[in-house]
Amino acid sequence: MSEAVTLRIWRGDAEGGEFREYQTSTSEGEVILDVIHRIQAEQANDLAVRWNCKAGKCGSCSAEVDGKPCLLCMTRMDLFETDETITVAPLKAFPVSRDLVTDVSLNYELAKKVPPFNPVPPEPDGTYRMQQIDIERVQEFHKCIECFLCQNVCHVIRDHDDNKKHFAGPRLFIRVASLDMHPLDATDRKDLLADELGLGMCNITKCCTEVCPENIRITDNAIIPLKERVVSRRYDPVVWLGRKLRSRT
Amino acid sequence: MEPLVTVGVLSAFVVYGTFVAFVNTDYFVDPYLSPFFSPCLASNCEEATWDLFGTHWGFSPALLILPFPLGFRLTCYYYRKAYYRSFLWSPPACAVSDFRSSYTGETKFPLILQNVHRYFFFLALPFPIILLYDALRAFRFEGEFGMGLGTLILLANAVLLGLYTLSCHSCRHLVGGGINLLSQAPIRRRLWGVSTRLNARHMQYAWVSLFGVLIADLYVRLLANGVFSDPRFF
């Protein structure tokens, strides 16, 4: 059985735009992306929306629904009241390309600052071995689908344009954590984190964790452990003394 | 609503704690010692745990110890989230604009001092043990073994404070989170596993232990003022 529904969708481009209201119908089990596709097919053929898998795994359809960053394909219509007008806007933190599509290339530019995986020398038999306990910590971070909802909701990026060039953001902190905690990686990224990626800018308000569709515990398992590693490097005289003593023996 | 509740509860706790510390009376009713004054380290204590400062200390003995748990909570990763959101509105809620136009996070003074959290962790670590000692002492009534409602309250307070302290992010890092090859450090791996499980509930422990301290002090204070008498189980 279908029900009437009203959506306010942001239409425009980098120059500017406005919200336009569309009335259409929705059926049981649908998500917002289904309804937007219906509007696109029946009323606004030129409506731009990025999507791909419709299964919450490609990270393409990120947008803001009633002000909350989310994946359009994972936001069910039955979350809303039938007489409610649903507002759909593009991600606020990134420049709009057109309608609901934003230019997220900034994230790829920032990613170039992170040195890639650098394996330690192989064992004498020429192979690498890892224990499950050592690798499972970083496996959580590999679930990231690069939807950039965490980057979008992070107030350091979202509300302060001047920070965008020197603050890597939660997505890239996950990336660094997956490398820095890797049992076979040989590169030290702690100074990079403090000096160039702006780890100290994060004030751990956990919004990134709240919006992550993969339920990665970004703050608790990546950002705070990285902060603690930087503290050991920069602010812990006990660790500093221990390192000095070890290097002399 | 959430920032409002946080502001209300944290402000009330600070006001209550300051009042209790400076009033400096009614914190001991044999065998119960208020956690705000434990360990009591001066001669002017109603019940000295260890007379470390003797008569050299003339102010409230609570002032000798409160800076340590206070610093631990103030720099705690969870409380930072709570007060950045509710007091500084940085941000007030997710996807809601920051109150201030400029932002430097924890890179400049004074917020760069948040990095001392692990030292406050070391300083706060003895407190649950001392409070547990107080709770065990509270099983003795005039030389006889017994148990009152106050005993259970002090015991619960010590346990909750222990859970809050051991679930700390710095603790999790120090016991094993800082190393990548946990497989080569079996003891640290176990400790890290326990700390990780506790850490998942750090926020809950932070709040419950805060109320635990408050309730324990209030209970002792009401007993001392004769508002009611302590129910004894045996």
Side-chain angles (χ1 to χ4, degrees):
Chain A
M1 199 180 83
S2 67
E3 286 177 348
V5 62
T6 306
L7 263 68
R8 281 176 75 236
I9 301 176
W10 197 89
R11 302 298 309 271
D13 54 26
E15 303 298 314
E18 60 182 2
F19 281 101
R20 285 190 210 157
E21 208 163 277
Y22 298 92
Q23 281 162 356
T24 184
S25 61
T26 180
S27 305
E28 190 179 350
E30 284 192 332
V31 293
I32 287 200
L33 187 59
D34 293 319
V35 178
I36 288 175
H37 279 161
R38 185 167 298 120
I39 292 168
Q40 194 182 43
E42 296 172 355
Q43 301 178 45
N45 302 146
D46 59 343
L47 171 62
V49 56
R50 189 190 283 131
W51 68 284
N52 204 324
C53 73
K54 250 181 93 174
K57 288 295 165 194
C58 72
S60 302
C61 62
S62 303
E64 297 191 5
V65 176
D66 287 346
K68 188 183 173 197
C70 61
L71 294 179
L72 295 175
C73 72
M74 298 302 286
T75 307
R76 293 176 62 94
M77 288 301 294
D78 58 12
L79 291 171
F80 306 95
E81 300 295 328
T82 48
D83 57 347
E84 188 181 344
T85 299
I86 304 165
T87 303
V88 186
L91 297 177
K92 188 194 167 195
F94 304 110
V96 173
S97 297
R98 206 178 124 199
D99 300 338
L100 299 178
V101 178
T102 48
D103 177 6
V104 293
S105 57
L106 169 75
N107 301 296
Y108 302 114
E109 290 303 316
L110 287 167
K112 290 176 187 169
K113 287 185 179 180
V114 181
F117 180 64
N118 174 30
V120 295
E123 291 179 28
D125 62 359
T127 61
Y128 291 99
R129 290 181 181 83
M130 291 184 291
Q131 299 293 318
Q132 180 59 32
I133 181 67
D134 295 329
I135 195 66
E136 67 190 10
R137 192 157 37 150
V138 302
Q139 281 173 336
E140 178 188 10
F141 308 138
H142 294 167
K143 291 194 299 179
C144 177
I145 57 173
E146 294 206 310
C147 61
F148 302 122
L149 288 177
C150 56
Q151 300 284 88
N152 176 62
V153 80
C154 177
H155 70 114
V156 186
I157 300 171
R158 187 182 177 93
D159 298 330
H160 306 282
D161 272 341
D162 50 324
N163 288 336
K164 283 183 177 170
K165 284 181 184 159
H166 49 263
F167 177 69
R171 159 59 197 137
L172 287 170
F173 292 142
I174 287 182
R175 168 84 180 136
V176 176
S178 74
L179 295 166
D180 206 64
M181 296 178 188
H182 198 288
L184 296 181
D185 185 76
T187 301
D188 189 317
R189 299 173 181 81
K190 292 166 197 72
D191 290 330
L192 178 86
L193 276 166
D195 298 331
E196 291 187 46
L197 301 182
L199 185 66
M201 302 282 277
C202 170
N203 68 345
I204 47 166
T205 43
K206 288 199 172 181
C207 291
C208 49
T209 305
E210 284 185 25
V211 299
C212 180
E214 285 294 311
N215 297 315
I216 302 170
R217 292 180 61 205
I218 302 171
T219 320
D220 287 326
N221 289 350
I223 296 179
I224 294 175
L226 289 178
K227 274 181 174 268
E228 284 294 315
R229 286 176 181 220
V230 170
V231 169
S232 294
R233 167 66 52 84
R234 293 279 175 97
Y235 307 107
D236 192 333
V238 178
V239 174
W240 174 83
L241 188 67
R243 246 195 326 261
K244 283 280 178 199
L245 291 173
R246 267 202 305 276
S247 65
R248 288 194 176 187
T249 53
Chain B
M1 190 64 190
E2 190 187 315
L4 199 65
V5 173
T6 308
V7 167
V9 174
L10 291 182
S11 302
F13 185 80
V14 169
V15 170
Y16 180 83
T18 310
F19 167 78
V20 160
F22 283 97
V23 162
N24 192 20
T25 53
D26 303 329
Y27 56 84
F28 179 72
V29 177
D30 197 26
Y32 305 139
L33 176 61
S34 159
F36 277 98
F37 288 80
S38 181
C40 214
L41 301 174
S43 295
N44 60 356
C45 290
E46 289 178 9
E47 169 74 2
T49 312
W50 179 28
D51 194 2
L52 182 66
F53 289 87
T55 53
H56 300 294
W57 184 258
F59 305 104
S60 166
L63 300 177
L64 286 169
I65 54 161
L66 285 184
F68 306 119
L70 180 69
F72 182 54
R73 285 192 190 257
L74 204 62
T75 58
C76 161
Y77 284 101
Y78 168 69
Y79 281 112
R80 272 146 77 176
K81 173 205 163 186
Y83 64 72
Y84 283 143
R85 279 196 188 189
S86 52
F87 284 86
L88 303 181
W89 290 7
S90 177
C94 297
V96 177
S97 295
D98 268 11
F99 180 66
R100 289 179 183 79
S101 56
S102 65
Y103 174 84
T104 54
E106 297 179 339
T107 59
K108 295 206 161 49
F109 184 82
L111 294 181
I112 197 170
L113 294 177
Q114 304 281 27
N115 288 305
V116 303
H117 182 53
R118 71 173 56 170
Y119 295 102
F120 278 113
F121 164 71
F122 289 132
L123 293 168
L125 201 51
F127 281 84
I129 300 164
I130 294 164
L131 293 180
L132 188 63
Y133 168 74
D134 286 342
L136 295 177
R137 277 186 53 189
F139 277 100
R140 291 194 75 78
F141 295 86
E142 293 162 0
E144 298 287 316
F145 182 72
M147 189 172 79
L149 182 58
T151 315
L152 290 181
I153 290 174
L154 292 189
L155 194 59
N157 177 47
V159 170
L160 291 172
L161 208 64
L163 288 170
Y164 169 60
T165 308
L166 295 176
S167 64
C168 157
H169 291 85
S170 286
C171 173
R172 185 182 177 215
H173 171 82
L174 291 164
V175 297
I179 56 172
N180 290 347
L181 296 172
L182 285 167
S183 59
Q184 294 179 9
I187 294 171
R188 294 186 73 180
R189 186 178 79 192
R190 279 197 199 97
L191 290 172
W192 180 76
V194 172
S195 182
T196 296
R197 279 194 291 279
L198 292 175
N199 181 256
R201 297 186 181 277
H202 191 51
M203 179 186 80
Q204 287 88 338
Y205 294 141
W207 283 115
V208 176
S209 64
L210 192 77
F211 282 107
V213 173
L214 198 92
I215 290 167
D217 179 83
L218 194 62
Y219 188 80
V220 175
R221 203 157 291 279
L222 292 175
L223 284 184
N225 282 290
V227 176
F228 55 84
S229 55
D230 182 42
R232 298 277 161 84
F233 301 115
F234 54 87

